[in-house]
Amino acid sequence: MANTIAILAWGGFNFQGGYEAAGQKEWLSKCIKWGSDYFIGCHTAEYELIGQIGDGYDDHAYWGRPEDMTMARPAFKITSSAPGSDLAGETAAALAASAIYFRNQLDYAYAENCLNHAKQLLDFADKYRGKYTDAIPAGGFYESWSGYNDELVWGAAWVAKATGDQADIDRAESLYTEMDAGNANPSEISWDDKWAMTFLMMYDITGKDIYKAKVDAFMNYILSAPRTPKGLVWIPSSEWGSLRYAGNFAMWAMQAGRLGIMPQEAFDFA
């Protein structure tokens, strides 16, 4: 959910004209605010974030409407003693992206509230490190396969993007180095693997060639990726939901093209 809000807000402020032309701007704002409100509500203390409501096994066994659910809905959280850097880092990214979006809508007070929570959550993710599925029983459904390294850098990059402060940019670069991000070679863009998007954000906030090289490499990878007979991009993970991976590649290509990364090829691909 946090990844969804981050990506929605990212597209919302970079391609606002498209949403306006489609008559969807009001709905976009409602979607982003609904998610941001939820995350702010879940951030119940400086080092505490509610990360799951409900039992995954019970929920997946139920095929009716959510409104008709009558089973117990336990809540689970990450804390300083049971941390989840991936969850806190991704939620920091979502709220920082939302802060930029609502700042552009001239809702400065709400944007500042989002950013304050984003900063606290990034500090939480960095200070108390751990994988959220070691604290919350989500491993049977939403295991953090890639660990928390990518979300930690992704969250830091978003906070830096939202503040524009050199200290925050330096922090993101320091975490990028510490997490050995330069050796990451992602094959997908997903709720679990943020490396390709992180490369793009790091290039966005710094303009440095070291990050551009990673973006260029991933662009070449998706441009040359195998396709189905009807033209759909297909990667090994596609068996888990082919359209989501193709859609994420298209989203990433649009954002990369906007930053001047092979713009013609990127927009044609998307």
Side-chain angles (χ1 to χ4, degrees):
M1 180 175 165
N3 185 232
T4 297
I5 294 299
I7 290 174
L8 276 177
W10 194 12
F13 65 73
N14 275 344
F15 299 101
Q16 180 171 309
Y19 285 96
E20 290 173 339
Q24 296 298 305
K25 166 75 181 318
E26 180 183 355
W27 291 109
L28 173 68
S29 295
K30 287 180 178 180
C31 286
I32 297 171
K33 190 171 189 300
W34 185 92
S36 297
D37 282 347
Y38 179 86
F39 298 136
I40 289 170
C42 287
H43 189 205
T44 48
E46 185 176 8
Y47 300 129
E48 184 176 283
L49 178 67
I50 296 172
Q52 177 177 306
I53 298 175
D55 178 275
Y57 292 93
D58 286 345
D59 287 359
H60 279 68
Y62 179 77
W63 290 90
R65 301 186 308 158
E67 293 84 354
D68 295 332
M69 285 182 168
T70 58
M71 73 280 282
R73 304 285 288 168
F76 303 93
K77 62 187 177 183
I78 54 172
T79 65
S80 58
S81 58
S85 300
D86 31 17
L87 181 60
E90 182 61 64
T91 308
L95 287 170
S98 295
I100 299 171
Y101 179 82
F102 286 107
R103 189 187 299 152
N104 288 355
Q105 309 312 309
L106 308 183
D107 191 346
Y108 298 114
Y110 186 72
E112 188 64 22
N113 191 27
C114 288
L115 184 54
N116 286 337
H117 281 276
K119 290 177 177 178
Q120 279 196 4
L121 285 165
L122 177 61
D123 288 342
F124 178 20
D126 193 11
K127 185 174 182 179
Y128 298 102
R129 295 184 181 181
K131 192 171 72 168
Y132 93 103
T133 45
D134 290 336
I136 292 175
F141 304 96
Y142 304 109
E143 178 65 53
S144 183
W145 302 107
S146 66
Y148 62 76
N149 291 12
D150 51 342
E151 282 89 2
L152 197 51
V153 186
W154 169 245
W158 268 111
V159 168
K161 172 79 171 172
T163 67
D165 293 344
Q166 188 59 49
D168 291 325
I169 296 172
D170 291 344
R171 181 185 193 179
E173 291 205 88
S174 176
L175 284 168
Y176 185 95
T177 300
E178 182 187 350
M179 298 298 122
D180 196 27
N183 286 320
N185 292 296
S187 61
E188 65 183 52
I189 297 169
S190 67
W191 59 269
D192 182 50
D193 192 330
K194 317 295 173 15
W195 280 129
M197 295 188 292
T198 300
F199 300 151
L200 203 52
M201 284 299 301
M202 293 300 296
Y203 177 60
D204 188 12
I205 64 175
T206 68
K208 292 184 177 179
D209 288 343
I210 186 175
Y211 308 117
K212 183 178 182 294
K214 298 295 288 186
V215 175
D216 285 339
F218 194 78
M219 179 67 81
N220 284 319
Y221 161 71
I222 65 172
L223 290 176
S224 61
R227 294 175 180 260
T228 67
K230 294 293 186 179
L232 181 69
V233 170
W234 189 272
I235 61 172
S237 298
S238 295
E239 64 177 304
W240 298 104
S242 55
L243 294 182
R244 61 170 157 165
Y245 292 103
N248 284 345
F249 286 154
M251 171 278 299
W252 186 92
M254 289 288 290
Q255 295 287 4
R258 182 184 172 277
L259 289 177
I261 306 297
M262 305 181 203
Q264 189 61 56
E265 294 90 338
F267 294 138
D268 287 346
F269 172 88

